[in-house]
Amino acid sequence: MKIIVCVKQVPDTAATMAVENGNISWGDAPLIINPWDEFAVEAALNLVADQGGEVTALCLGKEEETEAIKHALAMGADAAVLVSDPALKGSDNVAASKVLAAAITKIGEVDLVLFGQQSVDTDTGLLPVQVARLLKWPSLTLVSKFEEVTPAENSLQVVRSMEEGNQIIKSLMPAVVSVTKDYGEPRYPSFMGIRKASKAEYPVWNLADLGIDLPSSSISWPEVNEPVEQEIVTEIIDGDTAEEKAKILVEKLIAEKVL
Ligand SMILES: Cc1cc2nc3c(=O)[nH]c(=O)nc-3n(C[C@H](O)[C@H](O)[C@H](O)COP(=O)(O)OP(=O)(O)OC[C@H]3O[C@@H](n4cnc5c(N)ncnc54)[C@H](O)[C@@H]3O)c2cc1C
């Protein structure tokens, strides 16, 4: 099987974010692979371990931002492609999905494209569906399990995890799948993997290599603001026994209409 995993580079989730001169800043905090994308890499590696084939990590980002790709390679991905072009600055989701779809088409003969559920910085969760639409492939979102994958029949059966329960979906391949964290813990990169990834070479494609022009962004970010400060009141509940404290807590929650 040929599987592409789309990985994004994002600021460390532990970083303190601030708005400076109308832009979002995370200071000197390091950039990391989008944590949701590690589940997608894990799923791709397990599928290839079962079925044979190869995993390619695909990232759209600046040329010097290599952490997401290196992390995917260190986890065990076989190859990587970075798409980077100064014209991508300011790209919205419509442009990003067009670029990713073109890169997937250029890589060619792909059975599955895996995504994380969403990115932790811009957080739209839209790219998997937008890319599927451009490729005209089925889109399976919020997948927590791959039940049956039969490359000979171009078919797969997956479990979608939703709040209300699970949904079993059968689909044809090629398909686009977004993977949730319910899939299971991603592996840590091995020492050997990290060493291999640090020396790995991969192509960097620009828009001319992909043969596309970018659509102009139809949405913009006219203003970015800090979240409104919230006043938090802490109250320690007093009582002689745990039962009494629990009773008082429940009464307060009912009074506040939380329950
Ligand atoms: C007006 C505007 C200007 C913007 N300017 C910039 C800019 O200058 N620079 C910039 O970096 N972003 C910019 N963005 C944000 C950029 O458009 C989004 O990051 C991008 O469209 C993906 O959306 P998302 O991050 O919400 O991903 P989601 O849809 O939440 O992500 C879902 C999954 O898609 C995959 N994915 C997401 N992003 C990438 C990626 N880059 N490469 C590979 N896979 C990916 C991952 O698997 C991820 O888990 C801008 C957005 C707008 C609206």
Side-chain angles (χ1 to χ4, degrees):
M1 290 184 79
K2 197 160 169 186
I3 303 181
I4 293 179
V5 192
C6 292
V7 292
K8 184 181 187 185
Q9 186 152 297
V10 296
D12 193 331
T13 40
T16 306
M17 310 299 276
V19 176
E20 283 172 13
N21 306 323
N23 290 313
I24 301 164
S25 160
W26 49 90
D28 297 330
L31 293 166
I32 59 168
I33 185 172
N34 176 37
W36 296 99
D37 301 350
E38 291 179 69
F39 298 95
V41 177
E42 180 65 28
L45 295 174
N46 289 335
L47 284 168
V48 159
D50 286 348
Q51 304 285 345
E54 61 177 45
V55 174
T56 301
L58 171 62
C59 179
L60 177 61
K62 291 186 193 150
E63 209 162 327
E64 66 276 14
E65 293 176 0
T66 55
E67 186 48 39
I69 277 188
K70 293 246 160 104
H71 192 98
L73 288 168
M75 283 177 76
D78 304 283
V81 173
L82 175 65
V83 181
S84 192
D85 194 305
L88 286 166
K89 189 169 164 42
S91 302
D92 64 8
N93 286 58
V94 173
S97 54
K98 185 174 177 187
V99 175
L100 285 179
I104 291 161
T105 306
K106 184 171 162 82
I107 291 169
E109 294 176 12
V110 176
D111 298 292
L112 278 178
V113 180
L114 302 192
F115 284 82
Q117 178 181 329
Q118 66 202 79
S119 66
V120 294
D121 55 354
T122 31
D123 237 348
T124 64
L126 289 174
L127 268 196
V129 180
Q130 289 176 304
V131 169
R133 186 156 185 263
L134 289 172
L135 294 169
K136 299 191 169 61
W137 293 355
S139 159
L140 312 173
T141 53
L142 307 179
V143 166
S144 58
K145 193 171 176 191
F146 291 79
E147 284 198 327
E148 283 173 30
V149 179
T150 318
E153 293 170 16
N154 286 333
S155 76
L156 85 162
Q157 183 168 309
V158 297
V159 178
R160 290 187 74 225
S161 278
M162 290 163 304
E163 268 181 32
E164 308 77 35
N166 289 339
Q167 206 176 41
I168 313 296
I169 307 270
K170 237 176 154 40
S171 167
L172 287 175
M173 293 194 287
V176 175
V177 177
S178 75
V179 180
T180 69
K181 68 179 167 52
D182 293 341
Y183 177 82
E185 277 301 299
R187 69 196 68 186
Y188 285 108
S190 64
F191 180 64
M192 287 299 287
I194 294 169
R195 281 191 58 164
K196 206 174 117 210
S198 69
K199 294 187 205 135
E201 292 187 2
Y202 46 83
V204 180
W205 293 339
N206 59 24
L207 295 181
D209 294 323
L210 297 177
I212 54 168
D213 294 323
L214 281 189
S216 54
S217 293
S218 40
I219 51 174
S220 61
W221 288 333
E223 213 176 308
V224 186
N225 295 311
E226 301 265 13
V228 179
E229 270 192 41
Q230 299 202 353
E231 198 185 327
I232 298 172
V233 181
T234 309
E235 188 183 336
I236 310 282
I237 292 172
D238 214 5
D240 291 334
T241 62
E243 285 77 13
E244 190 187 338
K245 288 180 198 170
K247 188 165 172 286
I248 299 169
L249 174 64
V250 169
E251 280 164 5
K252 283 182 183 291
L253 292 175
I254 290 171
E256 291 290 335
K257 297 194 170 44
V258 178
L259 294 179

